[in-house]
Amino acid sequence: PQLEGRENGSAGLERATQWVADRFDEIGLQPAAPDGSFFDSWSEDARRGSETRTVSLRNVIGMIPGVDASLDGQSVVVLAHVDHLGRGWPDVRTGNEGKIHPGADDNASGVAVMLETARMIAGTHRPARTVIFVATSAEEWGLRGARRYIQSMQQWPANDAISVVSIDAVGRLSQGRLLALG
């Protein structure tokens, strides 16, 4: 609730992405955004009815470099979205307008698993291939953060990734079953 549901363009999402970048740094990931920082920032216009807002967004990108020179350029991408519905602008179910949607399961749980995965890999060994960790914004808004990653990542192009693991809403195991898609 203190982050007001991490709505896209909100101060809460800004604080959440900074928190993820700080964890990436503590874990020992290298900054991997196109400008050499942890942040790939951009803005987009959001419309709801007659209202339009310019929304500032950013993905958080870190990496563990691979050690096998014969696999240079290849990567494995692990991502989880850090945004959620916030107070429901520009999209929310009828009747929930203005209410905080905390997003513990969708997707603080996925971010937690991604961070723990990064910590474990960084702490035990160096992988053969480079592993890219991405906390995307705007997933709840048409996967715009993932699309941004695909469009902006020149050093580690998505086309050269041998695998992408997207971690989303892992905190809700219905009837004790795990659902894996892809």
Side-chain angles (χ1 to χ4, degrees), residues 30-104:
Q30 295 180 13
D35 69 356
S37 74
F38 281 116
F39 298 109
D40 180 23
S41 303
W42 76 103
S43 61
E44 296 195 30
D45 287 339
R47 291 177 184 79
R48 182 176 184 187
S50 62
E51 186 180 1
T52 300
R53 294 183 193 173
T54 300
V55 177
S56 297
L57 301 162
R58 62 186 185 176
N59 289 338
V60 188
I61 308 170
M63 66 172 251
I64 300 171
V67 296
D68 187 336
S70 70
L71 302 174
D72 269 359
Q74 294 184 11
S75 65
V76 173
V77 178
V78 179
L79 63 88
H81 71 94
V82 71
D83 66 298
H84 192 57
L85 299 174
R87 292 187 181 269
W89 197 94
D91 184 29
V92 68
R93 291 183 182 99
T94 302
N96 289 322
E97 298 89 345
K99 296 179 183 174
I100 293 176
H101 298 71

Side-chain angles (χ1 to χ4, degrees), residues 8 13 17 42 58-60 79-84 107 111 114 134-140 143-147 149:
N8 288 298
L13 181 59
T17 56
W42 76 103
R58 62 186 185 176
N59 289 338
V60 188
L79 63 88
H81 71 94
V82 71
D83 66 298
H84 192 57
N107 189 36
V111 171
M114 179 186 65
V134 186
T136 63
S137 293
E139 187 274 349
E140 298 290 358
L143 303 173
R144 293 176 190 218
R147 294 176 201 281
Y149 176 80

Side-chain angles (χ1 to χ4, degrees), residues 4-36:
E4 297 188 47
R6 303 176 319 279
E7 180 175 311
N8 288 298
S10 71
L13 181 59
E14 184 86 7
R15 288 195 317 269
T17 56
Q18 182 62 57
W19 185 88
V20 171
D22 292 345
R23 299 301 75 77
F24 278 6
D25 190 43
E26 286 174 5
I27 290 166
L29 271 59
Q30 295 180 13
D35 69 356

